[in-house]
Amino acid sequence: MTESNNSSLENKMNDLAARNSRLEAELSLLASRSQYPVSDSLQSSDEIDLKELWSAIWQGKWLIVGITFIFALGSIFYARSLPNEYRATVLLAPASSSNSSSLGKLAGQFGGLASLAGINLGGAGAEDKSVVAMEIIKTWGFLEKFIEDNNIQVEVFAAKGWDKANNKLVIDSELYDEINKKWVRNFDSGKGQKAEPSSWELFDKIQSRIGISQDKSSGLISLSVEYFSPEIAKLWTDDLVKAINAHVQKQDREEAIKSIAYLNDKIKETNVADMQSVFYQLIEEQTKTLMLAEVSEEYVFKTISPAKVPEQKAKPKRALIVVLGIMLGGMLAVMIVLIQHFRRS
């Protein structure tokens, strides 16, 4: 029995050793197949993909040329259809106020008392006024009044170009009837629209044509207007400077008058000599402000370099439009060719 058991155990051990040898042989064979050929196959597949892409593009070269050519023609026609616009620019400086230094001193001494009385001493000077004026120019209310005062609704909303030969604006007949002097545009009454453009529509049109910026190093301010007619661009630039000066001037004049009336009432109500002295000094400075507001035309902005009628167009950049159109057409054509190739494959 012992010998038979030993022989059976020996047979099992031999079987296991044989199986182990076969497994090791299979593993070594798999390893030899998967080491180097895998990277080679990946590299060859990458090369095939790049060659395939270039081959697909080359095969579809005439389609690419055709689509790019169509886009080039379209961009040329589009660029030529855009009307020329001219930019008039005026260079401004904050107008120096003769009483700003004295108001600054009073603001330091009696600023608390004046603020309690509801009086603005304006001690910050001309620079702060110019910053406020720059922001006012961009507002809806100011530009709405500017359009109404100058009666330029048609020029703002209905103009679509400029007849250089006749020096005349080209008005869109679908928006405004020049013969009968009335608005004829199509409108949706359900949305609250009318034939006449709304205040917001006019503001949206004109505010995109106005640019104002300040050079931080010099403090000088550049105000520009872009429009179809160079003469109107120059006219609107001058009118904007006058309008903003008059707007801030009117505000300060009205505020000074109210402040003087208030201070006179307070003088009558108090018997304290020191308080009366303070009120008289405040009245004196408000009177200076009022006098300056009455006589000064360049109240906020002083013109350094007046606007001129521009002779060269500011936009459109037709060459840039054509180049971008060609690039867009070329990229779209390549995408179309590659999509068609991969759909067929």
Side-chain angles (χ1 to χ4, degrees), residues 7-67:
S7 62
S8 62
L9 180 61
E10 185 176 354
N11 291 332
K12 289 181 180 179
M13 293 294 292
N14 292 332
D15 291 338
L16 289 175
R19 290 179 183 179
N20 189 29
S21 299
R22 288 197 298 270
L23 288 174
E24 288 180 354
E26 290 176 359
L27 288 174
S28 61
L29 180 61
L30 289 174
S32 63
R33 287 179 180 179
S34 61
Q35 262 185 348
Y36 299 101
V38 170
S39 59
D40 293 340
S41 62
L42 287 175
Q43 184 176 358
S44 62
S45 65
D46 288 341
E47 292 177 355
I48 292 172
D49 288 342
L50 292 176
K51 292 178 181 178
E52 184 180 1
L53 291 177
W54 174 250
S55 177
I57 292 173
W58 181 253
Q59 290 176 3
K61 61 182 179 295
W62 294 116
L63 179 61
I64 295 174
V65 171
I67 294 175

Coordinates of all heavy atoms in Angstrom, one line a residue, residues 7-67:
S7 N 3.7 6.0 -5.5 CA 3.8 6.1 -6.9 C 2.7 7.1 -7.4 O 2.9 7.9 -8.4 CB 3.6 4.7 -7.5 OG 2.3 4.2 -7.2
S8 N 1.5 7.0 -6.8 CA 0.4 8.0 -7.2 C 0.8 9.4 -6.9 O 0.5 10.3 -7.7 CB -0.9 7.6 -6.5 OG -0.8 7.7 -5.1
L9 N 1.4 9.6 -5.8 CA 1.8 11.0 -5.4 C 2.9 11.5 -6.4 O 2.9 12.7 -6.8 CB 2.4 11.0 -4.0 CG 2.8 12.4 -3.4 CD1 1.7 13.4 -3.4 CD2 3.4 12.2 -2.0
E10 N 3.8 10.6 -6.8 CA 4.8 11.0 -7.7 C 4.3 11.3 -9.1 O 4.7 12.3 -9.8 CB 5.8 9.8 -7.8 CG 7.0 10.1 -8.7 CD 8.1 9.0 -8.7 OE1 7.8 8.0 -8.0 OE2 9.0 9.1 -9.5
N11 N 3.2 10.6 -9.5 CA 2.6 10.8 -10.8 C 1.9 12.2 -10.8 O 1.9 13.0 -11.7 CB 1.5 9.8 -11.1 CG 2.2 8.4 -11.4 OD1 3.3 8.4 -11.9 ND2 1.5 7.3 -11.1
K12 N 1.2 12.6 -9.6 CA 0.6 13.9 -9.5 C 1.6 15.0 -9.6 O 1.4 16.0 -10.2 CB -0.2 14.0 -8.2 CG -1.4 13.1 -8.2 CD -2.2 13.3 -6.9 CE -3.4 12.4 -6.9 NZ -4.2 12.5 -5.6
M13 N 2.7 14.8 -8.9 CA 3.8 15.8 -8.9 C 4.3 16.0 -10.3 O 4.6 17.1 -10.8 CB 4.9 15.4 -8.0 CG 4.5 15.4 -6.5 SD 4.1 17.1 -5.9 CE 5.7 17.8 -6.0
N14 N 4.5 14.9 -11.1 CA 4.9 15.0 -12.4 C 4.0 15.8 -13.3 O 4.3 16.6 -14.2 CB 5.2 13.6 -13.0 CG 6.4 12.9 -12.3 OD1 7.3 13.6 -11.8 ND2 6.4 11.6 -12.3
D15 N 2.6 15.5 -13.1 CA 1.6 16.2 -13.9 C 1.6 17.7 -13.6 O 1.5 18.5 -14.5 CB 0.2 15.6 -13.5 CG 0.0 14.2 -14.1 OD1 0.8 13.9 -15.0 OD2 -0.9 13.5 -13.5
L16 N 1.8 18.1 -12.3 CA 1.8 19.5 -12.0 C 3.0 20.2 -12.6 O 3.0 21.3 -13.1 CB 1.8 19.6 -10.4 CG 0.5 19.3 -9.7 CD1 0.8 19.4 -8.2 CD2 -0.6 20.3 -10.1
A17 N 4.2 19.5 -12.5 CA 5.4 20.0 -13.1 C 5.2 20.2 -14.6 O 5.7 21.2 -15.2 CB 6.6 19.1 -12.8
A18 N 4.6 19.3 -15.3 CA 4.4 19.4 -16.7 C 3.5 20.6 -17.1 O 3.7 21.4 -18.0 CB 3.8 18.1 -17.3
R19 N 2.4 20.7 -16.3 CA 1.4 21.8 -16.5 C 2.1 23.2 -16.2 O 1.9 24.2 -17.0 CB 0.2 21.7 -15.5 CG -0.7 20.6 -15.9 CD -1.8 20.5 -14.9 NE -2.7 19.4 -15.2 CZ -3.8 19.1 -14.5 NH1 -4.1 19.8 -13.4 NH2 -4.5 18.0 -14.8
N20 N 3.0 23.2 -15.2 CA 3.7 24.5 -14.9 C 4.6 24.8 -16.0 O 4.8 26.0 -16.4 CB 4.5 24.3 -13.6 CG 5.1 25.6 -13.1 OD1 4.6 26.6 -13.4 ND2 6.2 25.4 -12.3
S21 N 5.3 23.8 -16.6 CA 6.2 24.0 -17.7 C 5.4 24.6 -18.9 O 5.9 25.5 -19.6 CB 6.9 22.7 -18.1 OG 7.7 22.3 -17.0
R22 N 4.2 24.0 -19.2 CA 3.4 24.5 -20.3 C 3.0 26.0 -20.1 O 3.0 26.8 -21.0 CB 2.2 23.6 -20.5 CG 2.6 22.2 -21.1 CD 1.3 21.6 -21.7 NE 0.4 21.3 -20.6 CZ 0.3 20.2 -19.9 NH1 1.2 19.2 -20.1 NH2 -0.6 20.0 -19.0
L23 N 2.6 26.3 -18.8 CA 2.1 27.6 -18.5 C 3.3 28.6 -18.7 O 3.1 29.7 -19.2 CB 1.6 27.7 -17.1 CG 0.2 27.1 -16.9 CD1 -0.1 27.1 -15.4 CD2 -0.9 27.8 -17.6
E24 N 4.5 28.3 -18.2 CA 5.6 29.2 -18.4 C 6.0 29.4 -19.8 O 6.3 30.5 -20.3 CB 6.8 28.6 -17.6 CG 6.7 28.6 -16.1 CD 7.9 28.0 -15.4 OE1 8.8 27.5 -16.1 OE2 8.0 28.1 -14.2
A25 N 5.8 28.3 -20.6 CA 6.1 28.5 -22.1 C 5.1 29.4 -22.7 O 5.5 30.2 -23.6 CB 6.1 27.1 -22.7
E26 N 3.8 29.2 -22.4 CA 2.8 30.1 -23.0 C 3.0 31.6 -22.5 O 2.8 32.5 -23.4 CB 1.4 29.6 -22.5 CG 1.0 28.3 -23.2 CD -0.3 27.8 -22.7 OE1 -0.9 28.5 -21.8 OE2 -0.8 26.7 -23.1
L27 N 3.3 31.8 -21.3 CA 3.5 33.2 -20.8 C 4.7 33.8 -21.5 O 4.6 35.0 -21.8 CB 3.7 33.2 -19.3 CG 2.5 32.9 -18.4 CD1 2.9 32.7 -16.9 CD2 1.5 34.0 -18.6
S28 N 5.8 33.1 -21.6 CA 6.9 33.6 -22.3 C 6.6 34.0 -23.8 O 7.1 35.0 -24.3 CB 8.1 32.7 -22.2 OG 7.8 31.4 -22.9
L29 N 5.8 33.1 -24.4 CA 5.4 33.4 -25.8 C 4.6 34.6 -25.9 O 4.8 35.5 -26.8 CB 4.7 32.2 -26.3 CG 4.2 32.3 -27.8 CD1 5.4 32.4 -28.7 CD2 3.3 31.0 -28.2
L30 N 3.6 34.8 -25.0 CA 2.8 36.0 -25.0 C 3.6 37.2 -24.7 O 3.4 38.3 -25.3 CB 1.7 35.9 -23.9 CG 0.5 34.9 -24.2 CD1 -0.4 34.8 -23.0 CD2 -0.2 35.3 -25.4
A31 N 4.5 37.1 -23.8 CA 5.4 38.3 -23.5 C 6.2 38.7 -24.6 O 6.4 39.9 -24.9 CB 6.3 38.0 -22.2
S32 N 6.8 37.7 -25.3 CA 7.6 38.0 -26.5 C 6.8 38.6 -27.6 O 7.3 39.4 -28.4 CB 8.3 36.7 -27.0 OG 7.3 35.8 -27.4
R33 N 5.5 38.3 -27.7 CA 4.7 38.9 -28.8 C 4.2 40.3 -28.4 O 4.0 41.1 -29.3 CB 3.4 38.0 -28.9 CG 3.7 36.7 -29.6 CD 2.4 35.9 -29.8 NE 2.6 34.6 -30.5 CZ 1.7 33.7 -30.7 NH1 0.5 34.0 -30.2 NH2 2.0 32.6 -31.3
S34 N 4.0 40.6 -27.1 CA 3.4 41.9 -26.8 C 4.4 43.0 -26.4 O 4.0 44.1 -26.1 CB 2.5 41.7 -25.6 OG 3.2 41.1 -24.5
Q35 N 5.7 42.7 -26.2 CA 6.6 43.7 -25.8 C 6.9 44.8 -26.8 O 6.4 45.9 -26.7 CB 8.0 43.1 -25.4 CG 8.1 42.8 -23.9 CD 9.4 42.3 -23.5 OE1 10.2 41.9 -24.4 NE2 9.7 42.3 -22.2
Y36 N 7.6 44.4 -27.8 CA 8.0 45.4 -28.8 C 7.0 45.7 -29.9 O 6.8 46.8 -30.4 CB 9.4 45.0 -29.4 CG 10.4 45.0 -28.4 CD1 10.8 43.8 -27.8 CD2 11.0 46.1 -27.9 CE1 11.8 43.7 -26.8 CE2 12.0 46.1 -26.9 CZ 12.4 44.9 -26.4 OH 13.4 44.8 -25.4
P37 N 6.3 44.7 -30.4 CA 5.4 44.9 -31.5 C 4.3 45.9 -31.2 O 3.8 46.5 -32.0 CB 4.8 43.5 -31.8 CG 5.9 42.6 -31.3 CD 6.5 43.2 -30.2
V38 N 3.9 46.0 -29.8 CA 2.8 46.9 -29.5 C 3.2 48.3 -29.8 O 2.4 49.1 -30.4 CB 2.5 46.7 -28.0 CG1 1.5 47.8 -27.5 CG2 1.8 45.4 -27.8
S39 N 4.3 48.8 -29.3 CA 4.8 50.2 -29.5 C 5.0 50.4 -31.0 O 4.7 51.5 -31.5 CB 6.1 50.5 -28.8 OG 7.1 49.5 -29.2
D40 N 5.5 49.4 -31.7 CA 5.7 49.6 -33.2 C 4.4 49.7 -33.9 O 4.2 50.6 -34.8 CB 6.4 48.3 -33.7 CG 7.9 48.2 -33.2 OD1 8.4 49.3 -32.7 OD2 8.4 47.1 -33.3
S41 N 3.4 49.0 -33.4 CA 2.0 49.1 -34.1 C 1.4 50.4 -33.8 O 0.8 51.0 -34.7 CB 1.1 48.0 -33.6 OG 0.9 48.1 -32.2
L42 N 1.6 50.9 -32.5 CA 1.0 52.2 -32.2 C 1.7 53.3 -33.1 O 1.0 54.2 -33.6 CB 1.2 52.5 -30.7 CG 0.3 51.8 -29.8 CD1 0.7 52.1 -28.3 CD2 -1.1 52.1 -30.0
Q43 N 3.0 53.2 -33.2 CA 3.8 54.2 -33.9 C 3.3 54.2 -35.4 O 3.1 55.2 -36.0 CB 5.3 54.0 -33.8 CG 6.1 55.0 -34.5 CD 7.6 54.8 -34.3 OE1 8.0 53.9 -33.6 NE2 8.4 55.6 -34.9
S44 N 3.2 52.9 -35.9 CA 2.8 52.8 -37.3 C 1.4 53.3 -37.5 O 1.1 54.0 -38.5 CB 2.9 51.4 -37.8 OG 2.0 50.6 -37.0
S45 N 0.5 53.1 -36.5 CA -0.9 53.6 -36.6 C -1.0 55.1 -36.6 O -1.7 55.7 -37.3 CB -1.8 53.0 -35.5 OG -1.4 53.6 -34.2
D46 N -0.1 55.8 -35.8 CA 0.0 57.2 -35.8 C 0.4 57.8 -37.1 O -0.1 58.7 -37.6 CB 0.9 57.7 -34.7 CG 0.3 57.5 -33.3 OD1 -0.9 57.4 -33.2 OD2 1.1 57.5 -32.3
E47 N 1.5 57.1 -37.7 CA 1.9 57.6 -39.0 C 0.9 57.4 -40.0 O 0.7 58.2 -40.9 CB 3.2 56.8 -39.3 CG 4.4 57.1 -38.5 CD 5.6 56.2 -38.8 OE1 5.4 55.3 -39.7 OE2 6.7 56.4 -38.2
I48 N 0.1 56.3 -39.9 CA -0.9 56.1 -40.9 C -2.0 57.1 -40.8 O -2.5 57.6 -41.8 CB -1.5 54.6 -40.7 CG1 -0.5 53.6 -41.1 CG2 -2.8 54.5 -41.5 CD1 -0.9 52.2 -40.8
D49 N -2.4 57.5 -39.5 CA -3.4 58.5 -39.3 C -3.0 59.9 -39.9 O -3.8 60.5 -40.5 CB -3.7 58.7 -37.8 CG -4.5 57.5 -37.2 OD1 -5.0 56.7 -38.0 OD2 -4.4 57.3 -36.0
L50 N -1.8 60.3 -39.6 CA -1.3 61.6 -40.2 C -1.3 61.6 -41.7 O -1.7 62.5 -42.4 CB 0.1 61.9 -39.6 CG 0.1 62.2 -38.1 CD1 1.6 62.4 -37.7 CD2 -0.7 63.5 -37.8
K51 N -0.8 60.5 -42.2 CA -0.8 60.3 -43.7 C -2.2 60.3 -44.2 O -2.5 60.9 -45.3 CB 0.0 59.1 -44.1 CG 1.5 59.1 -43.8 CD 2.2 57.8 -44.2 CE 3.7 57.9 -43.9 NZ 4.3 56.6 -44.2
E52 N -3.1 59.7 -43.5 CA -4.4 59.6 -43.9 C -5.1 60.9 -43.9 O -5.8 61.3 -44.9 CB -5.2 58.6 -43.0 CG -6.6 58.3 -43.5 CD -7.3 57.4 -42.5 OE1 -6.7 56.9 -41.6 OE2 -8.5 57.1 -42.8
L53 N -4.9 61.7 -42.9 CA -5.4 63.1 -42.8 C -4.9 63.9 -44.0 O -5.7 64.6 -44.6 CB -5.1 63.7 -41.5 CG -5.8 63.1 -40.2 CD1 -5.3 63.8 -39.0 CD2 -7.3 63.3 -40.3
W54 N -3.6 63.9 -44.2 CA -3.0 64.7 -45.2 C -3.6 64.3 -46.6 O -3.9 65.1 -47.5 CB -1.5 64.7 -45.2 CG -0.9 65.4 -46.4 CD1 -0.2 64.8 -47.4 CD2 -0.9 66.8 -46.6 NE1 0.2 65.8 -48.3 CE2 -0.2 67.0 -47.8 CE3 -1.4 67.9 -45.9 CZ2 0.0 68.2 -48.3 CZ3 -1.2 69.1 -46.4 CH2 -0.5 69.3 -47.6
S55 N -3.7 62.9 -46.8 CA -4.2 62.4 -48.0 C -5.7 62.9 -48.2 O -6.1 63.2 -49.4 CB -4.1 60.9 -48.0 OG -4.7 60.3 -49.2
A56 N -6.5 62.8 -47.1 CA -7.9 63.3 -47.3 C -7.9 64.8 -47.6 O -8.8 65.2 -48.5 CB -8.6 63.0 -46.0
I57 N -7.1 65.6 -47.0 CA -7.1 67.0 -47.3 C -6.7 67.2 -48.8 O -7.2 68.1 -49.5 CB -6.2 67.8 -46.3 CG1 -6.8 67.7 -44.9 CG2 -6.0 69.2 -46.7 CD1 -5.9 68.3 -43.8
W58 N -5.6 66.5 -49.2 CA -5.1 66.7 -50.5 C -6.2 66.3 -51.6 O -6.4 66.9 -52.6 CB -3.9 65.9 -50.7 CG -3.3 66.0 -52.1 CD1 -3.3 65.1 -53.1 CD2 -2.6 67.2 -52.6 NE1 -2.7 65.6 -54.2 CE2 -2.2 66.9 -54.0 CE3 -2.3 68.5 -52.1 CZ2 -1.6 67.8 -54.8 CZ3 -1.7 69.4 -52.9 CH2 -1.3 69.1 -54.2
Q59 N -6.9 65.2 -51.3 CA -7.9 64.7 -52.2 C -9.1 65.7 -52.3 O -9.7 65.8 -53.3 CB -8.5 63.3 -51.8 CG -7.5 62.2 -52.0 CD -8.0 60.9 -51.4 OE1 -9.1 60.8 -51.0 NE2 -7.1 59.8 -51.5
G60 N -9.4 66.4 -51.2 CA -10.4 67.4 -51.2 C -10.0 68.8 -51.4 O -10.7 69.8 -51.0
K61 N -8.8 68.9 -52.0 CA -8.2 70.3 -52.1 C -9.1 71.2 -53.0 O -9.2 72.4 -52.7 CB -6.8 70.2 -52.7 CG -6.7 69.6 -54.1 CD -5.2 69.5 -54.5 CE -5.1 68.9 -55.9 NZ -5.5 67.4 -55.9
W62 N -9.7 70.7 -54.0 CA -10.5 71.6 -54.9 C -11.8 72.0 -54.1 O -12.2 73.2 -54.3 CB -10.9 70.9 -56.2 CG -9.7 70.6 -57.0 CD1 -9.1 69.4 -57.4 CD2 -8.8 71.6 -57.6 NE1 -8.0 69.5 -58.1 CE2 -7.8 70.9 -58.3 CE3 -8.8 73.0 -57.5 CZ2 -6.7 71.5 -58.9 CZ3 -7.7 73.6 -58.2 CH2 -6.7 72.9 -58.9
L63 N -12.3 71.2 -53.3 CA -13.5 71.6 -52.5 C -13.0 72.7 -51.5 O -13.8 73.7 -51.3 CB -14.0 70.4 -51.7 CG -15.2 70.7 -50.8 CD1 -16.4 71.2 -51.6 CD2 -15.6 69.4 -50.1
I64 N -11.8 72.5 -50.9 CA -11.3 73.5 -49.9 C -11.1 74.8 -50.7 O -11.5 75.9 -50.2 CB -10.0 73.0 -49.3 CG1 -10.3 71.8 -48.4 CG2 -9.4 74.1 -48.5 CD1 -9.1 71.1 -47.9
V65 N -10.5 74.8 -51.8 CA -10.3 76.0 -52.6 C -11.6 76.7 -53.0 O -11.7 77.9 -52.9 CB -9.4 75.7 -53.9 CG1 -9.4 76.9 -54.8 CG2 -8.0 75.2 -53.5
G66 N -12.6 75.9 -53.4 CA -13.8 76.4 -53.8 C -14.6 77.1 -52.7 O -15.1 78.2 -52.8
I67 N -14.6 76.4 -51.5 CA -15.3 77.0 -50.3 C -14.6 78.3 -49.9 O -15.2 79.3 -49.6 CB -15.4 76.0 -49.2 CG1 -16.4 74.9 -49.6 CG2 -16.0 76.7 -47.9 CD1 -16.5 73.7 -48.6

